[in-house]
């Protein structure tokens, strides 16, 4: 069953440890509010939040050639800087927007695993080296952005992009999380006013967003490979896991700190929600927030005195580590230097291309840089900063040189994703070839229908017809959980696509390389001529899996049926398989138009409008009038309301795992307070406390335990780290190791966990991370009621958020679609001004026969791939 995991184990931990750190935030609003936020956070632990001297933020200025640190900014200076004024002369930097919605800065976070902060708490030497490494990482990121960021010039309808010549950044240093947990991190803020083409202009924030892979990769590698930081760790006996970056000797204790942090954060959210309910239209001040912090700490640690200084806080962490059983390791752990000359650079390039292609159809130089930096960091060695930078730049250039251009233009902005690989192109071409051949032979059928259109019922009827004609129907789905649901609904043999392919010898590693070996499939996995292979939720199948399924079907002469909905969630990675099938086999498509799921026929019509994305504003107005959009004044109030709904068994859907975790923690507290969850609780590695009565999800397929990823269970008993759970499949016993690493609270879920579910009532968190597909999926799960929850200051603002969500399409639909998206991005944001273009000659076009076979021709006059 390990084959059901595409990214698992250490590789999955790496992606979570590295990629989650770098979300970008765009601050729009008053400069005074930004100052208030920074100063309020700094005051939470008194002098422990001071940066250097009495400043609230470090101040950097950078050009393409250098990074200069300037005098630290106090609160007044920082406010002036945020507003777009020169901190010394107070002169405005160009024409400034005076309204509170103007972009003031973009922010990214430089941080690392919690165990790095724990090590820093234990030893001042490590703390100093860690801080120096983080600051060096921030300076390097600022320098990289100064060399790669752009702004736009020219008339609104004829704008072009030019590189910036100077940017400024503020770096705010924090030692703890919001809950007073050890969490050293830097908030790196890039001012929206940049100097370019002779004057101060607005930063092109889309370019920064599209550069996040490089920002994250540089930040991680700069600290991970820092000689001073790693040597300080080694002197005290600490080693780093090369893949996850965790301090091996402290990893076992981070869960307890995370659990306490979750408890404190939930306390603070609860106080805030209660206060806002009693003070509508008001905002809590810094003194009140500090009081909440102290109260939350005291409620979570009733036997401890609330620390009054940073040093007391650090000593409390050390005491807690020792209470958990921590013993210092033997000093002088081994450490090795990474020698740039000994690296197989061609091998690194191949690995980077495989990893890039396993996640997306197209990339830019920033994506390549981020992947290269992660590979360097995962070597486990230390290297001088200048050497690492030169190595990363050389490897990035090699990756781009080995990539295939999608457009071949000379005016492509660097941030636009215009590169792919030979293998990525070859996979899509092969899929299209096989679809066309099957369409010509009437050996493929495509069924598409909206959410609630009865696709599953259609499959049950198809199975009956197949049996009547002597055929066998086999259903495959993207996940094992979905296969279990499909088998129960249709009665047909159902498996995860990964399991079926594994049975037939298909193999893939954690980086995304595919291969084939000799294998003798189980009896249930064998396909015969004329069998019907149904791919359910085909829109969620990635291209590598789809190619292998089509190869298998061609080898066994089985018929193929693809079932799904292009408007629901796409594949994780390169998708678009259902789109290709509809495009290249239009004569084999059947559309299910009637929506049957919803009790209210009018809501069925509204769901179809959400599916298409048209008239989003009018749909919002209808839903708001029906009471199916709820507007909250703050995120704390929304979290509390959603947790209350989840605690009584209603489906709650959120965008990110962080949002889901906060709702889960709150719902657990509600059920514990009502006596539905007992006091006997286990602690997971992620810091969640689980007790008898809790609703949990298993997060890894395990054949021995008889559980599937995302399967839901109720905890029946706890015994020495093991859990006895009950679900639709009956009773199961989860061993301690599985419970610690692969179990989580499941009162709320992401959209990917919700797709395929049908419930009575659904509640959906809609916000800045929501896309059209995830919002549509969440708002179509409930037969009787579906409610969207937004945070906004007014109905008008909520309406705009809703329209923005249904205007976002984040699906990766393959390289052909990526080429169109790249061309559209250049058209929308402007090409690179020729004078400043970093590519002096057009990239070469791919010859038609580069891959040894013909470019596919669509059937029935459909448009071609266009590559």
């Amino acid at each position: 069953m390990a084959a059901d995991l595409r990214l698992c184990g250490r590789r999955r931990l790496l992606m979570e440890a590295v990629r989650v750190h770098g979300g970008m935030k765009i601050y729009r609003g008053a400069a005074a509010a930004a100052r208030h936020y920074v100063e309020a956070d700094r005051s939470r632990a008194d002098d422990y939040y001071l940066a250097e001297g009495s400043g609230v933020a470090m101040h950097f200025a950078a050009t393409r050639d250098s990074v200069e640190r300037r005098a630290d900014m106090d609160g007044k200076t920082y406010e002036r800087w945020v507003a777009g004024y020169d901190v010394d002369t107070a002169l405005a930097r160009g024409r400034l927007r005076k309204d509170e919605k103007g972009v003031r800065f973009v922010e990214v976070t430089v941080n690392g695993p919690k165990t790095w902060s724990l090590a820093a708490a234990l030893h001042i030497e490590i703390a100093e080296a860690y801080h120096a490494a983080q600051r060096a990482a921030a300076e390097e990121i600022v320098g990289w952005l100064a060399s790669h960021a752009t702004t736009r010039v020219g008339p609104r309808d004829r704008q072009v992009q030019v590189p910036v010549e100077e940017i400024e950044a503020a770096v705010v240093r924090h030692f703890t999380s919001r809950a007073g947990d050890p969490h050293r991190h830097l908030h790196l803020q890039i001012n929206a006013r940049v100097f370019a083409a002779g004057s101060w202009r607005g930063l092109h924030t889309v370019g920064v967003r599209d550069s996040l892979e490089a920002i994250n990769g540089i930040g991680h590698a700069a600290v991970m490979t820092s000689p001073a930081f790693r040597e300080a760790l080694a002197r005290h006996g600490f080693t780093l896991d090369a893949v996850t970056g965790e301090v091996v000797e402290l990893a076992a204790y981070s869960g307890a700190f995370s659990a306490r942090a979750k408890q404190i954060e939930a306390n603070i959210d609860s106080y805030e929600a209660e206060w806002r309910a009693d003070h509508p239209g008001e905002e809590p001040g810094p003194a009140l927030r500090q009081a909440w912090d102290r109260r939350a700490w005291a409620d979570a640690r009733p036997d401890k005195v609330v620390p009054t200084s940073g040093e007391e806080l650090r000593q409390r962490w050390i005491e807690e580590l020792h209470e958990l059983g921590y013993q210092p390791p033997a000093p002088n752990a081994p450490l090795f230097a990474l020698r740039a000359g000994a690296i197989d650079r061609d091998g690194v390039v191949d690995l980077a291309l495989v990893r890039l292609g396993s996640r997306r159809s197209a990339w830019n130089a920033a994506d390549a840089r981020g992947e290269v930096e992660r590979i360097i960091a995962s070597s486990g060695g230390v290297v001088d900063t200048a050497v690492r930078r030169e190595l990363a730049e050389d490897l990035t250039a090699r990756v781009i040189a080995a990539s295939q251009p999608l457009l071949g233009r000379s005016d492509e902005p660097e941030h636009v994703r215009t590169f792919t690989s030979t293998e990525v192109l070859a996979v899509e071409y092969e899929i299209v070839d096989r679809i066309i051949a099957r369409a010509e032979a009437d050996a493929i059928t495509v069924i598409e229908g909206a959410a609630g259109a009865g696709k599953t019922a259609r499959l049950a009827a198809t199975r009956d017809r197949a049996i009547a004609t002597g055929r066998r129907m086999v259903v495959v789905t993207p996940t094992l959980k979905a296969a279990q649901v499909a088998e129960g609904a249709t009665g047909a043999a159902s498996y995860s696509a990964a399991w079926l392919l594994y049975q037939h010898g298909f193999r893939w590693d954690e980086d995304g390389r595919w291969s084939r070996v000799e294998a003798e499939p189980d009896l249930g996995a064998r396909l015969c001529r004329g069998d019907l292979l149904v791919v359910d939720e085909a829109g969620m199948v990635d291209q590598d899996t789809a190619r292998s399924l089509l190869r298998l079907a061609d080898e066994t002469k089985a018929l193929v049926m693809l079932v799904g909905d292009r408007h629901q969630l796409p594949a994780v990675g390169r998708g678009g398989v259902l789109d290709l099938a509809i495009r290249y086999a239009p004569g084999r498509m059947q559309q299910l138009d009637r929506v049957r799921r919803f009790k209210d026929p009018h809501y069925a019509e509204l769901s179809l409008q959400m599916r298409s994305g048209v008239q989003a504003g009018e749909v919002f107005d209808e839903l708001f009038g029906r009471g199916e959009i709820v507007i909250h004044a703050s995120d704390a109030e929304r979290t509390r309301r959603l947790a209350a709904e989840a605690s009584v068994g209603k489906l709650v859907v959120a965008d990110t795992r962080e949002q889901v975790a906060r709702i889960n923690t709150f719902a657990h507290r509600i059920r514990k307070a009502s006596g539905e969850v007992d006091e006997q609780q286990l602690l997971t590695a992620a810091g969640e406390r689980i007790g008898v009565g809790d609703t949990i999800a298993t997060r890894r397929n395990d054949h021995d335990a008889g559980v599937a990823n995302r399967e839901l269970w109720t905890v029946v008993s706890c015994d020495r780290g093991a859990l006895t759970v009950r679900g639709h499949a009956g009773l199961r016993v989860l061993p301690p190791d599985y419970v610690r690493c692969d179990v989580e609270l499941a009162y709320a879920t992401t959209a990917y966990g919700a797709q395929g579910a049908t419930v009575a009532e659904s509640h959906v968190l809609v916000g800045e991370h929501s896309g059209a597909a995830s919002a549509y999926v969440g708002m179509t799960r409930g037969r009787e009621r579906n409610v969207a929850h937004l945070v906004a200051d007014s109905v008008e603002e909520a309406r705009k958020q809703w329209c923005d969500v249904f205007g976002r399409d984040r699906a990766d639909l393959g390289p052909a679609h990526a080429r169109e998206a790249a061309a559209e991005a250049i058209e929308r944001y402007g090409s690179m001004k020729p004078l400043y273009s970093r590519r002096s000659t057009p990239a070469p076009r791919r010859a038609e026969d580069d891959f040894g076979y013909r470019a596919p021709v669509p059937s029935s006059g459909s448009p071609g791939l266009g590559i």
Side-chain angles (χ1 to χ4, degrees):
M1 287 299 179
D4 290 328
L5 293 174
R6 292 297 312 278
L7 284 174
C8 58
R10 287 156 61 87
R11 173 69 173 160
R12 183 184 66 195
L13 288 172
L14 170 67
M15 301 313 296
E16 291 177 354
V18 176
R19 297 173 65 81
V20 170
H21 287 173
M24 184 187 88
K25 297 180 180 179
I26 298 178
Y27 179 72
R28 295 179 173 88
R35 173 185 176 181
H36 167 75
Y37 172 79
V38 170
E39 290 185 325
D41 255 0
R42 190 193 71 173
S43 65
R44 281 183 167 174
D46 296 330
D47 60 307
Y48 207 57
Y49 263 110
L50 293 177
E52 292 185 5
S54 60
V56 299
M58 292 177 273
H59 185 196
F60 295 92
T63 65
R64 293 176 62 85
D65 301 318
S66 64
V67 179
E68 172 194 357
R69 181 171 179 184
R70 297 181 174 174
D72 291 350
M73 294 184 285
D74 60 15
K76 182 178 180 180
T77 306
Y78 172 77
E79 182 177 343
R80 183 185 300 164
W81 180 85
V82 171
Y85 294 90
D86 185 288
V87 297
D88 297 319
T89 66
L91 295 176
R93 290 185 157 168
R95 290 185 300 173
L96 304 180
R97 287 186 60 170
K98 301 299 184 181
D99 62 281
E100 293 194 352
K101 297 302 180 182
V103 175
R104 308 304 179 190
F105 58 78
V106 297
E107 180 182 281
V108 295
T109 305
V110 180
N111 60 7
K114 185 185 294 293
T115 51
W116 293 3
S117 296
L118 286 173
L122 284 166
H123 302 285
I124 298 300
E125 178 192 8
I126 295 176
E128 293 173 348
Y130 186 20
H131 170 56
Q134 282 190 319
R135 191 177 71 184
E139 289 185 31
E140 189 172 348
I141 291 169
V142 172
W144 188 90
L145 283 169
S147 298
H148 297 272
T150 63
T151 185
R152 296 187 288 173
V153 300
R156 182 176 297 274
D157 58 342
R158 296 193 304 276
Q159 285 192 321
V160 294
Q161 297 190 42
V162 298
V164 303
E165 298 169 37
E166 182 179 344
I167 66 172
E168 289 197 7
V171 177
V172 181
R173 179 186 178 192
H174 284 174
F175 292 81
T176 75
S177 69
R178 175 171 172 258
D181 210 29
H183 180 49
R184 288 173 170 261
H185 59 285
L186 304 179
H187 292 278
L188 173 58
Q189 299 169 351
I190 306 297
N191 198 288
R193 306 307 296 170
V194 297
F195 191 81
S199 64
W200 289 97
R201 305 173 184 276
L203 175 68
H204 183 41
T205 57
V206 172
V208 179
R209 181 200 65 195
D210 291 345
S211 300
L212 277 176
E213 292 290 344
I215 293 170
N216 293 344
I218 291 169
H220 178 69
V223 180
M224 184 78 174
T225 64
S226 166
F229 176 53
R230 295 293 300 279
E231 287 165 6
L233 287 169
R235 272 193 292 274
H236 292 279
F238 295 125
T239 57
L240 298 187
D241 184 290
V243 177
T244 66
E246 294 282 1
V247 178
V248 175
E249 294 75 14
L250 292 170
Y253 309 105
S254 63
F257 281 86
S258 295
R260 194 65 58 83
K262 290 177 185 293
Q263 186 178 1
I264 291 174
E265 287 175 351
N267 286 347
I268 295 172
D269 285 344
S270 179
Y271 308 151
E272 181 176 348
E274 292 170 0
W275 183 88
R276 287 182 180 276
D278 294 334
H279 301 80
E282 297 183 38
E283 285 296 318
L288 184 57
R289 289 193 179 277
Q290 290 174 41
W292 289 341
D293 290 344
R294 290 191 292 269
R295 178 184 169 193
W297 180 287
D299 288 350
R301 293 173 164 88
D303 57 333
K304 302 290 185 182
V305 177
V306 177
T308 58
S309 72
E311 181 56 27
E312 285 189 17
L313 188 61
R314 188 177 75 86
Q315 290 299 325
R316 191 61 46 79
W317 295 337
I318 294 174
E319 290 173 11
E320 189 163 349
L321 270 174
H322 287 291
E323 289 170 2
L324 292 169
Y326 167 74
Q327 294 294 327
N332 300 319
L335 187 65
F336 75 91
L338 175 65
R339 294 188 297 116
I343 290 177
D344 176 7
R345 301 196 183 206
D346 290 339
V348 172
V349 170
D350 290 342
L351 176 59
L353 286 173
V354 168
R355 288 185 176 179
L356 287 167
S358 70
R359 293 201 303 272
R360 50 168 47 103
S361 297
W363 48 85
N364 56 27
D367 298 327
R369 177 65 180 268
E371 194 58 63
V372 162
E373 292 279 11
R374 281 188 285 272
I375 293 172
I376 292 173
S378 66
S379 69
V382 301
V383 62
D384 178 76
T385 299
V387 174
R388 193 204 89 252
R389 187 183 301 126
E390 183 279 330
L391 175 63
E393 289 173 352
D394 176 68
L395 290 170
T396 300
R398 291 171 183 248
V399 170
I400 292 302
S403 299
Q404 293 288 323
L406 287 172
L407 297 177
R409 295 171 54 166
S410 62
D411 61 349
E412 300 167 10
E414 188 177 332
H415 70 88
V416 178
R417 292 185 166 94
T418 60
F419 295 100
T420 189
S421 70
T422 300
E423 177 61 21
V424 168
L425 290 170
V427 170
E428 181 156 296
Y429 282 134
E430 183 178 344
I431 289 171
V432 173
D433 272 340
R434 294 182 184 276
I435 288 172
I436 291 173
R438 284 187 160 268
E440 292 171 350
D442 293 339
I444 188 169
T445 303
V446 184
I447 297 178
E448 184 180 36
K455 296 186 290 295
T456 302
R458 176 70 173 267
L459 285 183
T462 300
R463 172 183 174 270
D464 293 340
R465 290 195 299 272
I467 292 175
T469 57
R471 299 180 187 276
R472 177 171 177 252
M473 186 174 96
V474 175
V475 179
V476 294
T477 62
T479 65
L480 177 57
K481 178 188 174 184
Q484 293 171 340
V485 173
E487 184 160 336
T490 67
S494 303
Y495 313 103
S496 72
W499 181 85
L500 184 72
L501 292 174
Y502 194 88
Q503 289 295 310
H504 286 271
F506 291 91
R507 299 292 185 268
W508 51 92
D509 63 21
E510 293 177 348
D511 295 314
R513 291 188 184 90
W514 282 68
S515 59
R516 187 86 181 267
V517 300
E518 292 290 333
E520 184 66 25
D522 288 355
L523 184 62
R526 293 174 185 171
L527 294 174
C528 301
R529 178 185 290 273
D531 283 351
L532 177 60
L533 176 63
V534 175
V535 184
D536 196 15
E537 299 287 5
M540 297 178 68
V541 174
D542 66 88
Q543 289 201 359
D544 291 311
T545 298
R547 175 176 68 166
S548 300
L549 287 170
L550 289 170
R551 281 183 178 179
L552 177 60
D554 287 351
E555 291 169 3
T556 59
K557 309 300 181 185
L559 303 175
V560 171
M561 177 182 286
L562 304 179
V563 182
D565 182 5
R566 286 172 292 173
H567 298 275
Q568 294 190 51
L569 292 169
V572 178
R574 297 177 358 254
V577 175
L578 194 59
D579 300 72
L580 292 173
I582 291 171
R583 186 175 187 179
Y584 289 97
R588 302 294 302 166
M589 178 187 175
Q590 300 175 28
Q591 187 78 42
L592 305 182
D593 297 321
R594 185 180 175 187
V595 176
R596 307 167 184 272
R597 172 176 296 165
F598 307 110
K599 186 176 180 180
D600 180 357
H602 182 56
Y603 190 84
E605 293 300 318
L606 289 173
S607 76
L608 291 176
Q609 289 180 274
M610 282 187 272
R611 181 174 185 255
S612 66
V614 299
Q615 297 182 314
E618 289 78 358
V619 172
F620 174 92
D621 296 338
E622 285 255 17
L623 293 175
F624 185 71
R626 292 163 56 100
E628 291 169 332
I629 286 182
V630 178
I631 301 173
H632 302 273
S634 70
D635 190 53
E637 291 166 284
R638 176 171 64 179
T639 299
R640 187 183 190 186
R641 167 69 183 276
L642 290 174
E645 303 290 358
S647 69
V648 294
K650 296 176 184 176
L651 177 65
V652 171
V653 183
D655 292 315
T656 68
R657 290 178 63 84
E658 290 77 16
Q659 291 169 336
V660 167
R662 288 183 67 188
I663 296 168
N664 283 338
T665 299
F666 223 130
H668 166 87
R669 287 161 58 93
I670 292 172
R671 288 177 58 80
K672 184 180 174 185
S674 65
E676 295 169 286
V677 171
D678 72 4
E679 293 292 333
Q680 182 186 4
Q681 297 182 353
L682 297 178
L683 181 66
T684 70
E688 289 188 331
R689 297 190 182 277
I690 294 175
V692 173
D694 266 323
T695 299
I696 64 166
T698 44
R699 290 310 313 270
R700 177 171 59 83
N701 297 334
D702 190 305
H703 179 69
D704 294 333
V707 297
N709 182 28
R710 296 189 184 276
E711 201 168 1
L712 298 182
W713 309 86
T714 300
V715 178
V716 175
S717 66
C718 304
D719 182 19
R720 291 175 292 184
L723 292 178
T724 300
V725 297
R726 177 183 290 110
H728 290 300
L731 286 175
R732 298 288 188 270
V733 177
L734 306 178
D737 286 346
Y738 188 97
V739 171
R740 186 169 58 254
C741 299
D742 299 298
V743 162
E744 64 185 21
L745 293 170
Y747 295 102
T749 183
T750 62
Y752 276 94
Q755 181 154 321
T758 301
V759 297
E761 186 170 324
S762 173
H763 291 261
V764 188
L765 185 154
V766 175
E768 61 179 346
H769 299 290
S770 306
S774 61
Y776 170 60
V777 167
M779 291 295 289
T780 53
R781 299 304 96 195
R783 291 184 299 268
E784 300 174 8
R785 193 162 185 250
N786 297 275
V787 183
H789 295 258
L790 296 88
V791 173
D793 294 332
S794 64
V795 175
E796 291 74 20
E797 182 184 335
R799 190 178 194 270
K800 183 181 183 304
Q801 286 185 33
W802 178 268
C803 293
D804 289 344
V805 165
F806 280 92
R808 294 180 194 137
D809 180 7
R810 295 172 172 166
D812 183 334
L813 302 179
H817 180 267
R819 179 183 185 275
E820 296 171 0
E824 289 172 4
I826 296 175
E827 180 69 22
R828 178 178 181 183
Y829 299 118
S831 60
M832 203 69 183
K833 189 175 181 181
L835 178 64
Y836 295 93
S837 178
R838 296 185 178 92
R839 179 181 291 157
S840 58
T841 58
R845 298 286 291 182
R846 181 189 64 78
E848 183 176 350
D849 60 349
D850 276 356
F851 308 122
Y853 49 80
R854 66 181 174 87
V857 179
S859 60
S860 302
S862 297
L865 275 174
I867 295 182

